[in-house]
Amino acid sequence: AFSHCYNLTSVTIPDSVTSIKDHAFYECTSLTDVNIGDSVTSIEDAVFNGCISLESVIIPDSVTNIGMDAFWGCTALKNVNIPGNMTNIGVRVFSCCSSLKSVTIPDSITSIDEGAFFRCHSLESMYIHAGITNIGDIAFSDCSSLTCIDVDPENNAYSSVDGVLFNKDKTELICYPEGKDASYIIPEGVTSIGDYAFYDFDLLESVIIPAGVTRIGRTVFWGCCSLASVTIPESVTSIGDNAFYNCK
């Protein structure tokens, strides 16, 4: 409807509107102020994709669905509240929101989908509450300021050790936050390194993999262009496709 309206700066969506359809405000690069009516239940795919001047948006509690890429590349967006009636944070919803510092995730959320916060360079910490049962690929990858992913001890799917994300029984390393140290010793007991554990961590320098690890997933060290040293034990029997792609 308003795609590529480059001079549009402010939008008020009335209470009569229940759905904002795909790409409605796609690349409205001057849009800074959005007021969404309390009857809106769905913000669909790429609605605010590329709205690089949008600094904040209040999403009403009436919203139950936010589509993929809805806020992709909103580089000025700093704070986001997720409505309490939603159950998942969709695919790449906040990907490349490089100024995003604060996210409130309600207890209703059970899934954080693929790439949800990919390349959110200002995000410093993330709390995974007890009800979250699915975290998609590269959900927190290339978040250069992220130092801690903290998991509620009551969560039945995930756990964390010193801010590093593992599965519940700590046998699989899922995500090492990019804001942590450039060197990492993977703890004993781990048997698998997940497909995107260090994905696109361009400052990573060295990793020691303990005996007992049998699998290094695909694209694990993809884009780790500073990686100079990896110790791989004899227990490893599988290294996935592109595991060391672009490790210069």
Side-chain angles (χ1 to χ4, degrees):
F2 301 98
S3 177
H4 297 105
C5 289
Y6 298 123
N7 294 323
L8 184 65
T9 61
S10 178
V11 170
T12 297
I13 299 169
D15 289 343
S16 56
V17 173
T18 59
S19 179
I20 308 173
K21 295 296 184 180
D22 297 352
H23 299 85
F25 300 97
Y26 180 77
E27 290 193 356
C28 291
T29 53
S30 298
L31 185 64
T32 60
D33 183 31
V34 175
N35 184 5
I36 301 175
D38 289 336
S39 296
V40 172
T41 60
S42 182
I43 298 172
E44 300 191 9
D45 296 352
V47 166
F48 297 105
N49 186 310
C51 293
I52 59 174
S53 299
L54 188 64
E55 293 186 4
S56 65
V57 60
I58 297 175
I59 304 170
D61 288 339
S62 57
V63 171
T64 59
N65 171 69
I66 300 178
M68 69 169 61
D69 300 325
F71 294 93
W72 189 98
C74 291
T75 53
L77 190 65
K78 296 179 180 179
N79 304 293
V80 168
N81 65 301
I82 307 296
N85 289 319
M86 288 182 56
T87 59
N88 75 296
I89 300 174
V91 174
R92 299 184 302 273
V93 166
F94 301 107
S95 180
C96 298
C97 292
S98 55
S99 297
L100 188 63
K101 291 184 176 182
S102 175
V103 179
T104 301
I105 299 178
D107 291 343
S108 60
I109 296 293
T110 60
S111 179
I112 299 175
D113 291 347
E114 174 187 343
F117 298 99
F118 179 62
R119 288 184 177 162
C120 289
H121 293 307
S122 298
L123 196 63
E124 297 179 353
S125 64
M126 179 59 64
Y127 176 67
I128 306 300
H129 64 68
I132 293 175
T133 58
N134 174 69
I135 298 175
D137 296 338
I138 64 170
F140 308 114
S141 294
D142 203 7
C143 295
S144 55
S145 298
L146 186 64
T147 59
C148 179
I149 302 173
D150 184 29
V151 180
D152 190 304
E154 298 299 317
N155 189 294
N156 290 323
Y158 299 100
S159 62
S160 58
V161 178
D162 296 327
V164 181
L165 182 65
F166 294 85
N167 66 344
K168 182 61 178 179
D169 62 6
K170 300 180 179 64
T171 58
E172 181 177 19
L173 170 59
I174 296 173
C175 181
Y176 182 79
E178 191 166 333
K180 293 183 74 64
D181 293 340
S183 299
Y184 184 54
I185 300 174
I186 297 175
E188 299 289 336
V190 172
T191 60
S192 176
I193 304 175
D195 290 344
Y196 299 93
F198 299 95
Y199 183 85
D200 211 17
F201 187 170
D202 55 3
L203 296 179
L204 185 69
E205 296 176 357
S206 67
V207 174
I208 296 177
I209 301 172
V213 170
T214 60
R215 174 183 177 270
I216 297 173
R218 61 188 178 89
T219 68
V220 167
F221 299 105
W222 189 99
C224 294
C225 54
S226 299
L227 187 64
S229 174
V230 177
T231 301
I232 301 176
E234 293 181 1
S235 57
V236 171
T237 59
S238 172
I239 299 177
D241 294 343
N242 299 310
F244 295 94
Y245 178 79
N246 203 29
C247 293
K248 298 178 181 180

